[in-house]
Amino acid sequence: MMTQEAEAANARRAPAARTAIPAGGGAQQASGINWIPLDLISIGVTSSKGVPRGTMGSASARVIDRFGAAGRIDSFCETPARYPLRFWFHVDADGVPRPTPFIPPRVSVSLAFTPEHGTAPTATRTESDPRPTYEGPGIPLRTTFGETLWMGSTKSGTLDVSASLADPSTGTAIRYDDTIPCRLEPCA
């Protein structure tokens, strides 16, 4: 059985593409799988308090899957509630390393919490890193603001999320926008 830390470390790694991708726009790797920015440069979003457990959102140049379309964040018996979100910025995948040299992409995250029945955000947070650290294939970039950002509130509401990754080496720009329901469950 995996520990919670091992599960989290395993989940944050970007899996390699399952099939070889035809040449034309990517660098050929020894594994026979091409590194293609449109498929491998991505943003992942999850929460330790996501319901259902394991709910994730992601964005690449080709597709966006929103966390808020599949789940919510619950905070039980905490006042103020803490609504965590974990962000993973990827430039490659396990077994498909990014060709070097390259300039790390600029990344940023903006959060805005609006309480239930509210019309305007009561809490906002913006973080950015102009040059995060690349630590190896499949491992998320290490940002100056860390992986997990929190928003707090004494109420339920919605969390508007905007994350971006701008890769100067390829000209690839990824944007993840979402509205995630957040629910405060009072103590029984």
Side-chain angles (χ1 to χ4, degrees), residues 99-169:
T100 56
F102 69 93
I103 298 168
R106 293 180 314 278
V107 299
S108 66
V109 175
S110 294
L111 304 174
F113 183 83
T114 303
E116 197 170 47
H117 309 298
T119 58
T122 56
T124 61
R125 181 173 182 179
T126 300
E127 300 287 347
S128 65
D129 187 343
R131 200 173 175 116
T133 304
Y134 177 75
E135 296 185 330
I139 299 172
L141 297 172
R142 185 169 36 93
T143 66
T144 55
F145 53 85
E147 282 187 352
T148 303
L149 300 178
W150 297 82
M151 291 297 286
S153 177
T154 58
K155 299 180 179 183
S156 296
T158 57
L159 186 56
D160 290 321
V161 178
S162 182
S164 65
L165 180 154
D167 185 45
S169 297

Side-chain angles (χ1 to χ4, degrees), residues 14-17 35 40 90-98 137-139:
W35 178 85
L40 297 175
H90 286 280
V91 296
D92 58 13
D94 277 337
V96 190
R98 174 150 186 173
I139 299 172

Side-chain angles (χ1 to χ4, degrees), residues 169-186:
S169 297
T170 64
T172 302
I174 309 296
R175 188 166 174 100
Y176 177 88
D177 292 306
D178 200 355
T179 299
I180 301 172
C182 296
R183 186 173 71 180
L184 172 60
E185 293 188 36

